[in-house]
Amino acid sequence: WVELVIAGGNALATVVAVLLLTRHARFDARLFAMRDILWLALAGAAAALVSAVMGTGALVAATSLSAERAMMVAVSWWFGNFVGTLVVASLALAWSG
């Protein structure tokens, strides 16, 4: 069940990012303006947070992960996801344009 929660968290993270960019920002995928880059970073950070919280929460519920270790896992998860999102999304948007 842990894998299903992690997969659900990743899917939900994508939905959060898309909703932020399409409903709350006048996002231009060409990234010509600084505001578009900042919106992309904000959406990536929010998506990474959703994924990290759900994934770490599933691990805490399924294992004997201490609160201190859980915080370290969540921060590492968030950072890795956030940086990966920024790199991949930026490259994908640049190549698609």
Side-chain angles (χ1 to χ4, degrees), residues 41 44-45 48 75-91:
V75 168
S76 296
W77 195 314
W78 176 85
F79 184 75
N81 233 342
F82 178 53
V83 170
T85 297
L86 289 182
V87 170
V88 172
S90 298
L91 289 173

Side-chain angles (χ1 to χ4, degrees), residues 39-72:
W39 269 110
L40 181 63
L42 176 67
L49 181 63
V50 169
S51 178
V53 167
M54 288 190 68
T56 304
L59 291 175
V60 167
T63 67
S64 59
L65 194 63
S66 68
E68 180 180 304
R69 293 288 290 160
M71 184 57 78
M72 289 174 52

